[in-house]
Amino acid sequence: WRSMTRHGTVTVFVEAEHTCRHLVDFASEEAEALLDGLPTGATLPIEMERVAGRGDGWRVTGIP
């Protein structure tokens, strides 16, 4: 939804739930680099899980 910030986070829109999530952790450097390279508004299916103790933070666990 939005490009990666200088702090390494990405805000995404989850279409199926009509909500926004903040991606704050990544399972691999490859996943982080892929998301960092996407332009604002790009769409991509990703797998994620909530990060305990990080508010509304989510961890990317995979990109199918």
Side-chain angles (χ1 to χ4, degrees):
W1 187 51
R2 294 187 181 156
S3 298
M4 186 172 285
T5 69
R6 64 185 175 151
H7 302 291
T9 65
V10 179
T11 300
V12 297
F13 181 73
V14 181
E15 196 169 296
E17 298 176 15
H18 299 283
T19 61
C20 290
R21 292 186 180 169
H22 305 285
L23 305 180
V24 298
D25 192 24
F26 307 89
S28 68
E29 291 179 11
E30 293 82 10
E32 184 175 6
L34 175 64
L35 291 170
D36 186 26
L38 292 175
T40 298
T43 60
L44 179 72
I46 59 174
E47 297 167 350
M48 64 185 99
E49 64 187 12
R50 184 176 283 265
V51 177
R54 292 287 308 259
D56 191 30
W58 294 78
R59 178 175 197 258
V60 175
T61 57
I63 301 174

